[in-house]
Amino acid sequence: MIFTPTEIDGVVVVELKKIEDERGSFARAFCKKEFDDQGLKSDFVQGNTAVSHRKGTLRGMHYQQAPYAEAKLVRCIRGAVFDVAIDLRPASATYCQWVGVELTAENNRLLYVPEGFAHGYQALADNTELFYLVSQFYTPQAEKGVRWNDPRFDIAWPISDDILLSDKDRAWPDFNP
């Protein structure tokens, strides 16, 4: 695995090293030791899948409050997404900044999102599927979110018209620390 830090401390792009031969390919998608060596949380307790049927579907921006804050390791296994993490750690030098990374079924990238970040993504293709690991169990009473188009963050979503949102994601408030 190749670990590449982004401009926001703690958010890391993880690229899989594919080994290919006439049969196909093999790649390690997760290794606790390698994550530990990088100082990344590696105690994942749950794996989730999410399918977005329509290009333009936007899910986010979600997080769980402490003590249920979660780290995520996100991979696109079909289609493509623009995956976004917003730094909500008040003591961070990059507080309220965001980073976006394109994840596709072909580019062998994963995005590691640490605790203290809001996370969301937009499908760039029909029938896009994500698989992601989380470090905490889903805890409904700890669930929070911020509005996907909050002007404080000014996220440059690749698809700005014909966005499909859930009622829940549409109703998240602007960020108010």
Side-chain angles (χ1 to χ4, degrees):
M1 292 181 192
I2 301 165
F3 295 84
T4 306
T6 67
E7 58 270 20
I8 296 187
D9 185 41
V11 180
V12 177
V13 174
V14 181
E15 293 184 65
L16 304 183
K17 289 184 190 176
K18 278 175 53 173
I19 300 169
E20 297 185 84
D21 63 21
E22 65 278 355
R23 299 168 296 163
S25 65
F26 169 86
R28 187 174 331 151
F30 175 75
C31 176
K32 180 174 176 41
K33 182 182 181 324
E34 288 186 52
F35 271 68
D36 289 345
D37 290 348
Q38 295 292 321
L40 304 177
K41 191 167 205 96
S42 64
D43 296 326
F44 296 109
V45 299
Q46 191 171 299
N48 302 317
T49 64
V51 175
S52 296
H53 295 297
R54 197 179 95 197
K55 177 180 176 177
T57 299
L58 197 148
R59 298 175 187 255
M61 299 297 298
H62 310 138
Y63 64 98
Q64 288 193 167
Q65 288 184 305
Y68 305 103
E70 58 190 358
K72 294 180 180 178
L73 181 62
V74 184
R75 181 168 188 213
C76 182
I77 58 175
R78 183 176 62 210
V81 297
F82 183 66
D83 201 15
V84 174
I86 303 172
D87 189 348
L88 298 181
R89 303 169 298 177
S92 171
T94 54
Y95 181 59
C96 289
Q97 294 179 29
W98 64 273
V99 63
V101 176
E102 188 170 318
L103 305 177
T104 72
E106 290 78 30
N107 72 8
N108 293 310
R109 289 183 178 165
L110 296 86
L111 187 65
Y112 176 83
V113 180
E115 295 173 351
F117 282 73
H119 173 257
Y121 56 90
Q122 184 176 51
L124 302 177
D126 291 340
N127 298 311
T128 290
E129 184 172 3
L130 294 186
F131 178 78
Y132 59 100
L133 300 173
V134 293
S135 64
Q136 286 286 338
F137 295 106
Y138 173 64
T139 308
Q141 65 271 24
E143 182 182 24
K144 297 290 181 192
V146 296
R147 193 161 53 91
W148 65 278
N149 60 351
D150 182 335
R152 179 174 191 150
F153 306 121
D154 196 27
I155 298 170
W157 296 104
I159 300 169
S160 59
D161 58 343
D162 199 27
I163 293 174
L164 179 62
L165 289 161
S166 70
D167 290 340
K168 184 180 188 178
D169 286 347
R170 189 177 291 107
W172 288 123
D174 284 344
F175 185 60
N176 187 8

